[in-house]
Amino acid sequence: MMNSGTPNFDFGYLHDHSRLTAYRQKPVDIGWFTETGRTPRLNLNGFWHFEIDPYDSGLRGEWFRERNNSDSSVGPPDCDFDAWDEVTVPGCWNIQRTDLKYYEGTAWYVRDFMVEEKRNGYIYPVAFGGTSGETIVFVNGEFCGYNDIPGAPFAADATDLLREGKNRIAVWVTNRRHEDGVPGEFYDWFNYGGIFRSVGLHRVPDVYIRRWKLSLGEHQCPELEISLNREIDLNGVVSVGNRKFPFRTDKKGTHTAVLDWSPELWHPDSPKLYDVKIVIGSDEISDRIGFRNIEADETGIRINGRRIVLKGLAVHEDHPETGRALTTEQRRLMLKDAVSMNANALRLAHYPHDGETARLADEAGILLWEEIPVYWHLDFANSETRRKARRLMKSLILRDENRASVILWSIGNENPDSDSRLSFMTNLADLCRSMDKTRLVTAACLVDVSSYRITDRLADVVDVVSVNEYYGWYYPGLERVGEIVRSRSDKPVMISEFGAGATYRAENGPAEPWSEEYQAEFYENQFRALSGISNLTGYFPWVLYDFPSPRRLNAHQRGFNRKGLITHNRLHRKKACETIRKWYESITG
């Protein structure tokens, strides 16, 4: 029995589910702050205090408000951020703590940072390159922002919450899967958790560049598009290389103009980049970009008027040492491994990869297919699912629309053809074209396996028809695979996935399933069956590296998709690497 002097604790908060609902009603505006071309005022990467919260007690108990430990009238607090162990951001908790390898739930990240001077007339966004799922940001004990899209860059406005001197940021993040999510509840890759992209505090003037795009126009001259966050006319100047072009926004805070200049064009054979600086009012953007155009018709894809065959590889954002938080050197090695097989393109499957990959691809001359995880079956009739897909597509375009390497926006992969799905995907294609007329739209469509035809209605919607086919691995009939491409002669067609599994074996052996010899022979037969087809404009073997997938549990895979051409640890190149290298070497155009 309690003593009469003991406080009467109220545990009602433990049953209060309303707080998360309230945060969900206040998502950040994906387009309000574009990080592209900006360097954070304060880099918030590094060590953060961390702990999981499987019961979601932290939101109910408002841990972020941090009750004073010395206030004995209400009893001891349930958490102490400063007593928690530390992990590194960017990072994945599945890698950093072995006991959390398969953890799916929520966790907290907390760290302090200093603001030496807080200037009036400036805005202070905290920008996240991407997290594993729903994310809530608190600054100095107050709600700062909510984002619900896995992998999407977003920013939370901390202007009114910051103070000069010491500040504290607390982040609630989850990797829980949702039926109405994008991706949905079921997919074929590993569900990493955490803040796996960079975090930084920016400082921008209260009149700033909300969006900018500099791309090659129809007359081979650069076209500049600027929009400010306010309706105001201001003078500005854009510098490209050693050339300066003054401009002035209109009263709506926008400006569109053709720059009277013909740049040297970017191409995989010669990836020319220019230093760009845009100054308007007190705001400034700096970047390094290339200029190129791309178009497609029934004869194929052309870059700068020259037909090109995409000699590609598909790749997941996954590394045994870092999960999805790849380092710069790990990304450079990925591009180097692709080039070693004479590849000129990468399909970044099946979700947005870190924006650094596109910047490195700009430098290396590697073409990119970027996509969002509208993967397998989603709840296509659900308006919430549609909202999330549009939000993710919009964020990807805003982030990478100035990257010359990015030539394809992909709106999905292997979805069953239904009326609701067709409407859903058409809506996404329309969004891509309304935001960006300088790139092509594609999707990995389904094949009618028995008839060897592309009957997927989505093929009528996209600019480039792509198909995943596994004849010779999951089903027989490899010799007729060319009929698939020929069944759609009105558009360029790409093989977006094809491949066979192989486990590492140092010694030569018979070409039997799961052997390296079988995998190499599989690719030889595929290339032979696909040769000589005029509208076949791209190949994307599946996949560059083995990668973990908990649904792959046969004796050969043991939790991994083993279709990689290189082992997950990057230490062994399978025999099919040489097969692909020789085939790509033989392709001209």
Side-chain angles (χ1 to χ4, degrees):
M1 180 177 295
M2 290 185 179
N3 295 327
S4 58
T6 303
N8 183 19
F9 295 116
D10 179 6
F11 294 104
Y13 76 90
L14 294 174
H15 305 283
D16 183 1
H17 297 273
S18 65
R19 289 191 172 92
L20 181 55
T21 301
Y23 298 135
R24 283 173 171 164
Q25 294 172 354
K26 303 174 184 178
V28 295
D29 175 6
I30 283 293
W32 83 269
F33 172 74
T34 302
E35 189 180 0
T36 304
R38 300 184 185 276
T39 300
R41 188 74 181 175
L42 180 63
N43 188 321
L44 295 179
N45 294 340
F47 292 111
W48 292 56
H49 293 288
F50 169 85
E51 192 52 83
I52 63 171
D53 181 16
Y55 295 167
D56 277 336
S57 300
L59 284 183
R60 295 183 176 94
E62 296 189 328
W63 288 354
F64 51 88
R65 297 197 187 281
E66 295 193 79
R67 261 192 311 113
N68 192 327
N69 288 329
S70 63
D71 188 359
S72 59
S73 65
V74 294
D78 287 326
C79 81
D80 182 355
F81 293 145
D82 294 321
W84 290 354
D85 291 336
E86 293 182 325
V87 296
T88 302
V89 170
C92 300
W93 64 57
N94 323 74
I95 299 292
Q96 295 176 318
R97 288 215 352 213
T98 56
D99 60 314
L100 301 180
K101 181 176 180 178
Y102 292 109
Y103 177 68
E104 292 188 329
T106 59
W108 289 85
Y109 291 80
V110 179
R111 67 159 290 170
D112 296 332
F113 61 95
M114 299 293 293
V115 173
E116 300 298 335
E117 177 188 22
K118 186 181 177 185
R119 295 186 181 180
N120 294 328
Y122 283 83
I123 298 170
Y124 291 81
V126 182
F128 291 76
T131 65
S132 59
E134 282 188 284
T135 304
I136 308 174
V137 182
F138 302 93
V139 173
N140 293 327
E142 299 295 334
F143 172 72
C144 184
Y146 168 83
N147 182 57
D148 59 350
I149 312 298
F154 70 95
D157 187 355
T159 307
D160 296 334
L161 305 178
L162 289 176
R163 52 190 177 229
E164 291 187 354
K166 183 179 176 181
N167 292 263
R168 172 161 286 195
I169 182 171
V171 180
W172 175 97
V173 63
T174 185
N175 66 338
R176 285 198 182 109
R177 292 168 287 151
H178 296 279
E179 185 177 354
D180 65 358
V182 181
E185 291 183 300
F186 186 55
Y187 44 83
D188 192 14
W189 61 86
F190 196 85
N191 184 22
Y192 287 108
I195 304 174
F196 52 63
R197 304 265 167 81
S198 291
V199 185
L201 176 68
H202 290 255
R203 186 180 73 190
V204 295
D206 55 5
V207 178
Y208 62 90
I209 299 169
R210 177 183 173 95
R211 184 183 181 187
W212 69 279
K213 185 177 182 182
L214 192 54
S215 59
L216 199 65
E218 58 180 339
H219 301 295
Q220 303 301 297
C221 293
E223 291 187 357
L224 174 66
E225 300 173 58
I226 291 279
S227 60
L228 304 180
N229 65 312
R230 288 190 188 178
E231 294 187 352
I232 185 173
D233 54 331
L234 283 177
N235 290 322
V237 63
V238 56
S239 303
V240 188
N242 58 4
R243 294 170 174 80
K244 294 181 182 293
F245 302 91
F247 66 89
R248 186 174 180 83
T249 61
D250 58 25
K251 292 182 179 180
K252 293 183 178 180
T254 63
H255 177 77
T256 302
V258 176
L259 308 186
D260 186 17
W261 169 56
S262 297
E264 180 181 337
L265 300 186
W266 185 98
H267 189 275
D269 296 337
S270 178
K272 174 66 176 178
L273 298 175
Y274 290 91
D275 291 322
V276 173
K277 179 184 287 188
I278 303 172
V279 178
I280 185 165
S282 301
D283 199 17
E284 181 177 308
I285 292 282
S286 296
D287 209 336
R288 197 161 178 254
I289 69 172
F291 299 96
R292 56 104 190 96
N293 58 33
I294 183 168
E295 53 193 344
D297 58 24
E298 68 276 4
T299 66
I301 293 174
R302 290 185 298 281
I303 294 181
N304 306 331
R306 294 163 49 190
R307 187 177 188 275
I308 189 168
V309 176
L310 302 188
K311 298 177 283 189
L313 295 163
V315 64
H316 267 286
E317 188 177 49
D318 192 294
H319 193 283
E321 297 174 1
T322 54
R324 288 192 63 182
L326 272 66
T327 66
T328 300
E329 287 310 307
Q330 289 167 348
R331 296 182 193 280
R332 290 189 189 279
L333 177 61
M334 176 183 71
L335 298 176
K336 183 178 178 181
D337 284 338
V339 170
S340 74
M341 285 181 253
N342 290 316
N344 64 8
L346 285 174
R347 178 187 180 189
L348 303 184
H350 282 293
Y351 38 73
H353 292 213
D354 192 290
E356 184 184 45
T357 299
R359 294 179 181 276
L360 296 175
D362 276 2
E363 297 173 3
I366 296 292
L367 300 167
L368 295 182
W369 156 328
E370 293 195 342
E371 66 185 84
I372 61 173
V374 179
Y375 182 89
W376 288 354
H377 182 76
L378 297 186
D379 190 358
F380 292 110
N382 189 324
S383 61
E384 182 68 4
T385 307
R386 179 174 295 201
R387 179 192 68 81
K388 290 177 180 178
R390 285 179 60 86
R391 187 173 170 87
L392 185 50
M393 191 79 252
K394 180 180 179 181
S395 71
L396 180 58
I397 293 173
L398 288 174
R399 191 193 72 185
D400 286 349
E401 62 185 343
N402 287 298
R403 306 273 69 85
S405 56
V406 179
I407 61 169
L408 292 161
W409 299 127
S410 177
I411 56 177
N413 179 80
E414 290 184 351
N415 315 116
D417 191 354
S418 66
D419 290 344
S420 60
R421 176 264 200 165
L422 182 62
S423 172
F424 187 103
M425 304 292 265
T426 301
N427 182 273
L428 286 175
D430 290 344
L431 173 66
C432 291
R433 294 181 179 118
S434 68
M435 292 186 65
D436 182 10
K437 296 179 174 61
T438 67
R439 289 176 177 82
L440 304 172
V441 178
T442 192
C445 299
L446 290 174
V447 173
D448 187 321
V449 177
S450 59
S451 70
Y452 294 86
R453 297 185 62 82
I454 302 171
T455 59
D456 192 331
R457 289 177 291 173
L458 186 59
D460 295 326
V461 175
V462 297
D463 302 313
V464 181
V465 180
S466 301
V467 292
N468 296 352
E469 59 85 7
Y470 286 95
Y471 290 95
W473 183 246
Y474 291 126
Y475 31 84
L478 173 60
E479 66 282 353
R480 295 180 58 188
V481 71
E483 296 178 27
I484 299 170
V485 183
R486 294 187 182 95
S487 74
R488 198 67 201 239
S489 59
D490 61 325
K491 290 186 178 183
V493 177
M494 299 191 299
I495 308 298
S496 42
E497 286 184 30
F498 60 115
T503 55
Y504 164 57
R505 184 174 64 197
E507 302 83 9
N508 291 328
E512 57 189 17
W514 299 106
S515 70
E516 289 189 42
E517 291 75 18
Y518 186 96
Q519 186 187 46
E521 186 177 292
F522 168 91
Y523 278 112
E524 289 175 358
N525 292 334
Q526 281 275 343
F527 289 134
R528 191 178 302 116
L530 291 167
S531 63
I533 304 175
S534 60
N535 67 317
L536 180 56
T537 195
Y539 309 81
F540 289 88
W542 186 265
V543 56
L544 180 55
Y545 304 113
D546 290 341
F547 62 92
S549 176
R551 66 177 293 272
R552 304 275 179 168
L553 296 172
N554 68 34
H556 299 282
Q557 298 185 100
R558 300 182 182 277
F560 282 82
N561 187 315
R562 299 291 186 186
K563 294 188 184 73
L565 299 164
I566 301 174
T567 54
H568 188 229
N569 60 13
R570 280 51 168 178
L571 297 180
H572 179 72
R573 301 169 69 86
K574 301 177 190 178
K575 292 178 171 60
C577 289
E578 181 64 9
T579 304
I580 291 172
R581 187 194 70 79
K582 288 181 177 179
W583 178 258
Y584 282 172
E585 186 178 45
S586 71
I587 296 175
T588 58

PDB file of all heavy atoms in Angstrom, residues 331-356:
ATOM      1  N   ARG A 331      30.898   4.034 -52.935  1.00  0.00           N
ATOM      2  CA  ARG A 331      30.147   4.393 -54.145  1.00  0.00           C
ATOM      3  C   ARG A 331      31.081   4.500 -55.349  1.00  0.00           C
ATOM      4  O   ARG A 331      30.721   4.099 -56.461  1.00  0.00           O
ATOM      5  CB  ARG A 331      29.384   5.709 -53.922  1.00  0.00           C
ATOM      6  CG  ARG A 331      28.322   5.595 -52.847  1.00  0.00           C
ATOM      7  CD  ARG A 331      27.527   6.878 -52.649  1.00  0.00           C
ATOM      8  NE  ARG A 331      26.754   6.814 -51.416  1.00  0.00           N
ATOM      9  CZ  ARG A 331      25.605   6.177 -51.275  1.00  0.00           C
ATOM     10  NH1 ARG A 331      25.064   5.572 -52.313  1.00  0.00           N
ATOM     11  NH2 ARG A 331      24.971   6.154 -50.112  1.00  0.00           N
ATOM     12  N   ARG A 332      32.246   5.043 -55.151  1.00  0.00           N
ATOM     13  CA  ARG A 332      33.214   5.115 -56.253  1.00  0.00           C
ATOM     14  C   ARG A 332      33.608   3.711 -56.719  1.00  0.00           C
ATOM     15  O   ARG A 332      33.748   3.461 -57.930  1.00  0.00           O
ATOM     16  CB  ARG A 332      34.474   5.884 -55.818  1.00  0.00           C
ATOM     17  CG  ARG A 332      34.256   7.376 -55.621  1.00  0.00           C
ATOM     18  CD  ARG A 332      35.585   8.080 -55.421  1.00  0.00           C
ATOM     19  NE  ARG A 332      35.424   9.462 -55.025  1.00  0.00           N
ATOM     20  CZ  ARG A 332      35.174  10.473 -55.860  1.00  0.00           C
ATOM     21  NH1 ARG A 332      35.054  10.227 -57.160  1.00  0.00           N
ATOM     22  NH2 ARG A 332      35.048  11.699 -55.401  1.00  0.00           N
ATOM     23  N   LEU A 333      33.791   2.796 -55.782  1.00  0.00           N
ATOM     24  CA  LEU A 333      34.136   1.424 -56.148  1.00  0.00           C
ATOM     25  C   LEU A 333      33.015   0.789 -56.949  1.00  0.00           C
ATOM     26  O   LEU A 333      33.266   0.036 -57.903  1.00  0.00           O
ATOM     27  CB  LEU A 333      34.435   0.609 -54.891  1.00  0.00           C
ATOM     28  CG  LEU A 333      34.742  -0.887 -55.129  1.00  0.00           C
ATOM     29  CD1 LEU A 333      35.979  -1.048 -56.012  1.00  0.00           C
ATOM     30  CD2 LEU A 333      34.933  -1.618 -53.803  1.00  0.00           C
ATOM     31  N   MET A 334      31.762   1.067 -56.587  1.00  0.00           N
ATOM     32  CA  MET A 334      30.624   0.543 -57.337  1.00  0.00           C
ATOM     33  C   MET A 334      30.691   0.993 -58.790  1.00  0.00           C
ATOM     34  O   MET A 334      30.509   0.190 -59.721  1.00  0.00           O
ATOM     35  CB  MET A 334      29.326   1.018 -56.688  1.00  0.00           C
ATOM     36  CG  MET A 334      28.060   0.625 -57.432  1.00  0.00           C
ATOM     37  SD  MET A 334      26.585   1.312 -56.645  1.00  0.00           S
ATOM     38  CE  MET A 334      26.786   3.063 -57.038  1.00  0.00           C
ATOM     39  N   LEU A 335      30.952   2.282 -59.015  1.00  0.00           N
ATOM     40  CA  LEU A 335      31.062   2.790 -60.380  1.00  0.00           C
ATOM     41  C   LEU A 335      32.261   2.179 -61.100  1.00  0.00           C
ATOM     42  O   LEU A 335      32.189   1.850 -62.287  1.00  0.00           O
ATOM     43  CB  LEU A 335      31.175   4.318 -60.357  1.00  0.00           C
ATOM     44  CG  LEU A 335      29.978   5.072 -59.776  1.00  0.00           C
ATOM     45  CD1 LEU A 335      30.264   6.566 -59.715  1.00  0.00           C
ATOM     46  CD2 LEU A 335      28.714   4.815 -60.577  1.00  0.00           C
ATOM     47  N   LYS A 336      33.345   2.005 -60.376  1.00  0.00           N
ATOM     48  CA  LYS A 336      34.538   1.399 -60.965  1.00  0.00           C
ATOM     49  C   LYS A 336      34.277  -0.050 -61.375  1.00  0.00           C
ATOM     50  O   LYS A 336      34.706  -0.497 -62.451  1.00  0.00           O
ATOM     51  CB  LYS A 336      35.694   1.457 -59.959  1.00  0.00           C
ATOM     52  CG  LYS A 336      37.011   0.924 -60.492  1.00  0.00           C
ATOM     53  CD  LYS A 336      38.121   1.070 -59.449  1.00  0.00           C
ATOM     54  CE  LYS A 336      39.439   0.502 -59.961  1.00  0.00           C
ATOM     55  NZ  LYS A 336      40.518   0.626 -58.930  1.00  0.00           N
ATOM     56  N   ASP A 337      33.544  -0.798 -60.542  1.00  0.00           N
ATOM     57  CA  ASP A 337      33.213  -2.184 -60.884  1.00  0.00           C
ATOM     58  C   ASP A 337      32.332  -2.233 -62.133  1.00  0.00           C
ATOM     59  O   ASP A 337      32.475  -3.132 -62.967  1.00  0.00           O
ATOM     60  CB  ASP A 337      32.496  -2.859 -59.713  1.00  0.00           C
ATOM     61  CG  ASP A 337      33.447  -3.244 -58.588  1.00  0.00           C
ATOM     62  OD1 ASP A 337      34.659  -3.380 -58.851  1.00  0.00           O
ATOM     63  OD2 ASP A 337      32.979  -3.399 -57.446  1.00  0.00           O
ATOM     64  N   ALA A 338      31.426  -1.262 -62.258  1.00  0.00           N
ATOM     65  CA  ALA A 338      30.576  -1.223 -63.451  1.00  0.00           C
ATOM     66  C   ALA A 338      31.404  -0.939 -64.697  1.00  0.00           C
ATOM     67  O   ALA A 338      31.253  -1.611 -65.732  1.00  0.00           O
ATOM     68  CB  ALA A 338      29.490  -0.159 -63.283  1.00  0.00           C
ATOM     69  N   VAL A 339      32.292   0.032 -64.619  1.00  0.00           N
ATOM     70  CA  VAL A 339      33.134   0.386 -65.763  1.00  0.00           C
ATOM     71  C   VAL A 339      34.030  -0.776 -66.160  1.00  0.00           C
ATOM     72  O   VAL A 339      34.306  -1.001 -67.345  1.00  0.00           O
ATOM     73  CB  VAL A 339      33.972   1.641 -65.440  1.00  0.00           C
ATOM     74  CG1 VAL A 339      35.029   1.892 -66.512  1.00  0.00           C
ATOM     75  CG2 VAL A 339      33.066   2.858 -65.298  1.00  0.00           C
ATOM     76  N   SER A 340      34.474  -1.570 -65.176  1.00  0.00           N
ATOM     77  CA  SER A 340      35.352  -2.709 -65.482  1.00  0.00           C
ATOM     78  C   SER A 340      34.662  -3.747 -66.348  1.00  0.00           C
ATOM     79  O   SER A 340      35.325  -4.565 -66.996  1.00  0.00           O
ATOM     80  CB  SER A 340      35.838  -3.356 -64.184  1.00  0.00           C
ATOM     81  OG  SER A 340      34.807  -4.098 -63.548  1.00  0.00           O
ATOM     82  N   MET A 341      33.325  -3.736 -66.376  1.00  0.00           N
ATOM     83  CA  MET A 341      32.569  -4.646 -67.239  1.00  0.00           C
ATOM     84  C   MET A 341      32.071  -3.941 -68.500  1.00  0.00           C
ATOM     85  O   MET A 341      31.170  -4.423 -69.171  1.00  0.00           O
ATOM     86  CB  MET A 341      31.396  -5.250 -66.454  1.00  0.00           C
ATOM     87  CG  MET A 341      31.820  -6.324 -65.480  1.00  0.00           C
ATOM     88  SD  MET A 341      30.409  -7.034 -64.582  1.00  0.00           S
ATOM     89  CE  MET A 341      30.666  -6.321 -62.981  1.00  0.00           C
ATOM     90  N   ASN A 342      32.665  -2.771 -68.798  1.00  0.00           N
ATOM     91  CA  ASN A 342      32.302  -1.974 -69.973  1.00  0.00           C
ATOM     92  C   ASN A 342      30.871  -1.456 -69.905  1.00  0.00           C
ATOM     93  O   ASN A 342      30.268  -1.136 -70.941  1.00  0.00           O
ATOM     94  CB  ASN A 342      32.496  -2.768 -71.273  1.00  0.00           C
ATOM     95  CG  ASN A 342      33.957  -3.004 -71.586  1.00  0.00           C
ATOM     96  OD1 ASN A 342      34.783  -2.094 -71.462  1.00  0.00           O
ATOM     97  ND2 ASN A 342      34.296  -4.222 -71.977  1.00  0.00           N
ATOM     98  N   ALA A 343      30.314  -1.352 -68.709  1.00  0.00           N
ATOM     99  CA  ALA A 343      28.972  -0.805 -68.551  1.00  0.00           C
ATOM    100  C   ALA A 343      29.017   0.721 -68.672  1.00  0.00           C
ATOM    101  O   ALA A 343      29.999   1.358 -68.280  1.00  0.00           O
ATOM    102  CB  ALA A 343      28.384  -1.205 -67.210  1.00  0.00           C
ATOM    103  N   ASN A 344      27.941   1.285 -69.215  1.00  0.00           N
ATOM    104  CA  ASN A 344      27.811   2.743 -69.274  1.00  0.00           C
ATOM    105  C   ASN A 344      26.572   3.241 -68.529  1.00  0.00           C
ATOM    106  O   ASN A 344      26.256   4.426 -68.586  1.00  0.00           O
ATOM    107  CB  ASN A 344      27.782   3.229 -70.725  1.00  0.00           C
ATOM    108  CG  ASN A 344      26.574   2.719 -71.509  1.00  0.00           C
ATOM    109  OD1 ASN A 344      25.655   2.114 -70.954  1.00  0.00           O
ATOM    110  ND2 ASN A 344      26.594   2.939 -72.814  1.00  0.00           N
ATOM    111  N   ALA A 345      25.862   2.330 -67.843  1.00  0.00           N
ATOM    112  CA  ALA A 345      24.624   2.717 -67.169  1.00  0.00           C
ATOM    113  C   ALA A 345      24.395   1.842 -65.944  1.00  0.00           C
ATOM    114  O   ALA A 345      24.818   0.677 -65.898  1.00  0.00           O
ATOM    115  CB  ALA A 345      23.434   2.600 -68.120  1.00  0.00           C
ATOM    116  N   LEU A 346      23.699   2.417 -64.951  1.00  0.00           N
ATOM    117  CA  LEU A 346      23.297   1.685 -63.751  1.00  0.00           C
ATOM    118  C   LEU A 346      21.822   1.920 -63.494  1.00  0.00           C
ATOM    119  O   LEU A 346      21.331   3.052 -63.602  1.00  0.00           O
ATOM    120  CB  LEU A 346      24.089   2.136 -62.526  1.00  0.00           C
ATOM    121  CG  LEU A 346      25.537   1.665 -62.388  1.00  0.00           C
ATOM    122  CD1 LEU A 346      26.184   2.335 -61.184  1.00  0.00           C
ATOM    123  CD2 LEU A 346      25.616   0.153 -62.247  1.00  0.00           C
ATOM    124  N   ARG A 347      21.117   0.849 -63.163  1.00  0.00           N
ATOM    125  CA  ARG A 347      19.761   0.967 -62.657  1.00  0.00           C
ATOM    126  C   ARG A 347      19.850   0.963 -61.141  1.00  0.00           C
ATOM    127  O   ARG A 347      20.226  -0.042 -60.527  1.00  0.00           O
ATOM    128  CB  ARG A 347      18.888  -0.193 -63.141  1.00  0.00           C
ATOM    129  CG  ARG A 347      17.473  -0.139 -62.596  1.00  0.00           C
ATOM    130  CD  ARG A 347      16.665  -1.378 -62.940  1.00  0.00           C
ATOM    131  NE  ARG A 347      15.315  -1.285 -62.389  1.00  0.00           N
ATOM    132  CZ  ARG A 347      14.434  -2.286 -62.373  1.00  0.00           C
ATOM    133  NH1 ARG A 347      14.754  -3.464 -62.903  1.00  0.00           N
ATOM    134  NH2 ARG A 347      13.241  -2.117 -61.839  1.00  0.00           N
ATOM    135  N   LEU A 348      19.507   2.083 -60.520  1.00  0.00           N
ATOM    136  CA  LEU A 348      19.568   2.191 -59.066  1.00  0.00           C
ATOM    137  C   LEU A 348      18.268   1.641 -58.493  1.00  0.00           C
ATOM    138  O   LEU A 348      17.266   2.342 -58.363  1.00  0.00           O
ATOM    139  CB  LEU A 348      19.786   3.653 -58.651  1.00  0.00           C
ATOM    140  CG  LEU A 348      21.038   4.329 -59.238  1.00  0.00           C
ATOM    141  CD1 LEU A 348      21.188   5.738 -58.668  1.00  0.00           C
ATOM    142  CD2 LEU A 348      22.300   3.512 -58.975  1.00  0.00           C
ATOM    143  N   ALA A 349      18.299   0.370 -58.167  1.00  0.00           N
ATOM    144  CA  ALA A 349      17.101  -0.351 -57.734  1.00  0.00           C
ATOM    145  C   ALA A 349      16.994  -0.299 -56.202  1.00  0.00           C
ATOM    146  O   ALA A 349      17.994  -0.230 -55.502  1.00  0.00           O
ATOM    147  CB  ALA A 349      17.184  -1.804 -58.198  1.00  0.00           C
ATOM    148  N   HIS A 350      15.755  -0.409 -55.699  1.00  0.00           N
ATOM    149  CA  HIS A 350      14.442  -0.202 -56.298  1.00  0.00           C
ATOM    150  C   HIS A 350      13.808   0.998 -55.642  1.00  0.00           C
ATOM    151  O   HIS A 350      12.600   1.050 -55.438  1.00  0.00           O
ATOM    152  CB  HIS A 350      13.540  -1.411 -56.078  1.00  0.00           C
ATOM    153  CG  HIS A 350      13.785  -2.591 -56.959  1.00  0.00           C
ATOM    154  ND1 HIS A 350      13.544  -2.543 -58.323  1.00  0.00           N
ATOM    155  CD2 HIS A 350      14.238  -3.840 -56.704  1.00  0.00           C
ATOM    156  CE1 HIS A 350      13.818  -3.718 -58.851  1.00  0.00           C
ATOM    157  NE2 HIS A 350      14.252  -4.531 -57.904  1.00  0.00           N
ATOM    158  N   TYR A 351      14.644   1.938 -55.225  1.00  0.00           N
ATOM    159  CA  TYR A 351      14.257   3.077 -54.395  1.00  0.00           C
ATOM    160  C   TYR A 351      15.302   4.163 -54.637  1.00  0.00           C
ATOM    161  O   TYR A 351      16.376   3.890 -55.203  1.00  0.00           O
ATOM    162  CB  TYR A 351      14.254   2.671 -52.911  1.00  0.00           C
ATOM    163  CG  TYR A 351      15.388   1.724 -52.587  1.00  0.00           C
ATOM    164  CD1 TYR A 351      16.710   2.186 -52.513  1.00  0.00           C
ATOM    165  CD2 TYR A 351      15.181   0.359 -52.434  1.00  0.00           C
ATOM    166  CE1 TYR A 351      17.764   1.322 -52.269  1.00  0.00           C
ATOM    167  CE2 TYR A 351      16.236  -0.516 -52.195  1.00  0.00           C
ATOM    168  CZ  TYR A 351      17.522  -0.023 -52.113  1.00  0.00           C
ATOM    169  OH  TYR A 351      18.573  -0.875 -51.892  1.00  0.00           O
ATOM    170  N   PRO A 352      15.066   5.381 -54.231  1.00  0.00           N
ATOM    171  CA  PRO A 352      16.085   6.419 -54.411  1.00  0.00           C
ATOM    172  C   PRO A 352      17.358   6.102 -53.625  1.00  0.00           C
ATOM    173  O   PRO A 352      17.306   5.856 -52.422  1.00  0.00           O
ATOM    174  CB  PRO A 352      15.412   7.678 -53.868  1.00  0.00           C
ATOM    175  CG  PRO A 352      13.951   7.416 -54.017  1.00  0.00           C
ATOM    176  CD  PRO A 352      13.789   5.945 -53.738  1.00  0.00           C
ATOM    177  N   HIS A 353      18.486   6.090 -54.319  1.00  0.00           N
ATOM    178  CA  HIS A 353      19.780   5.975 -53.658  1.00  0.00           C
ATOM    179  C   HIS A 353      20.235   7.371 -53.233  1.00  0.00           C
ATOM    180  O   HIS A 353      19.641   8.377 -53.622  1.00  0.00           O
ATOM    181  CB  HIS A 353      20.804   5.351 -54.600  1.00  0.00           C
ATOM    182  CG  HIS A 353      20.536   3.918 -54.922  1.00  0.00           C
ATOM    183  ND1 HIS A 353      21.551   3.000 -55.144  1.00  0.00           N
ATOM    184  CD2 HIS A 353      19.380   3.215 -55.067  1.00  0.00           C
ATOM    185  CE1 HIS A 353      21.026   1.811 -55.420  1.00  0.00           C
ATOM    186  NE2 HIS A 353      19.701   1.921 -55.371  1.00  0.00           N
ATOM    187  N   ASP A 354      21.289   7.436 -52.453  1.00  0.00           N
ATOM    188  CA  ASP A 354      21.803   8.719 -51.993  1.00  0.00           C
ATOM    189  C   ASP A 354      22.145   9.619 -53.177  1.00  0.00           C
ATOM    190  O   ASP A 354      22.665   9.150 -54.196  1.00  0.00           O
ATOM    191  CB  ASP A 354      23.050   8.494 -51.132  1.00  0.00           C
ATOM    192  CG  ASP A 354      23.467   9.745 -50.387  1.00  0.00           C
ATOM    193  OD1 ASP A 354      23.940  10.693 -51.027  1.00  0.00           O
ATOM    194  OD2 ASP A 354      23.333   9.774 -49.145  1.00  0.00           O
ATOM    195  N   GLY A 355      21.869  10.917 -53.049  1.00  0.00           N
ATOM    196  CA  GLY A 355      22.145  11.851 -54.127  1.00  0.00           C
ATOM    197  C   GLY A 355      23.607  11.919 -54.511  1.00  0.00           C
ATOM    198  O   GLY A 355      23.948  12.334 -55.635  1.00  0.00           O
ATOM    199  N   GLU A 356      24.513  11.517 -53.618  1.00  0.00           N
ATOM    200  CA  GLU A 356      25.937  11.522 -53.949  1.00  0.00           C
ATOM    201  C   GLU A 356      26.234  10.580 -55.106  1.00  0.00           C
ATOM    202  O   GLU A 356      27.149  10.838 -55.903  1.00  0.00           O
ATOM    203  CB  GLU A 356      26.771  11.128 -52.726  1.00  0.00           C
ATOM    204  CG  GLU A 356      28.267  11.209 -52.984  1.00  0.00           C
ATOM    205  CD  GLU A 356      29.099  10.741 -51.814  1.00  0.00           C
ATOM    206  OE1 GLU A 356      28.773   9.688 -51.226  1.00  0.00           O
ATOM    207  OE2 GLU A 356      30.079  11.434 -51.474  1.00  0.00           O
TER     208      GLU A 356
END
